[in-house]
Amino acid sequence: MCQHQPPCPPATAPDHHTARLVAYHPEQGWGLLCNGVLIFDDGGELTPDGRVRPAGRGADVVPVG
């Protein structure tokens, strides 16, 4: 997904949150990183494979669905 050079970390990398922001909607409280991760203003995340990282939960990731 990322076309930056050097490429941003993939969504599965521990530092995935350092990827570049490609869309930001502060009025809705979310942004999209170039690796496909949705980040939320409360600190939560949604990965491209559908896993959720709740706000303030560190490395806990739970599948959705």
Side-chain angles (χ1 to χ4, degrees):
M1 190 178 275
C2 176
Q3 300 197 12
H4 300 113
Q5 291 300 324
C8 294
T12 56
D15 61 345
H16 66 272
H17 60 279
T18 62
R20 292 188 189 186
L21 192 62
V22 295
Y24 183 52
H25 295 275
E27 72 283 358
Q28 297 175 359
W30 64 273
L32 175 65
L33 300 178
C34 69
N35 58 11
V37 174
L38 283 171
I39 56 171
F40 298 95
D41 287 351
D42 67 359
E45 299 176 348
L46 178 61
T47 63
D49 64 0
R51 294 186 300 163
V52 173
R53 177 168 290 138
R57 294 292 308 225
D60 293 341
V61 178
V62 294
V64 174

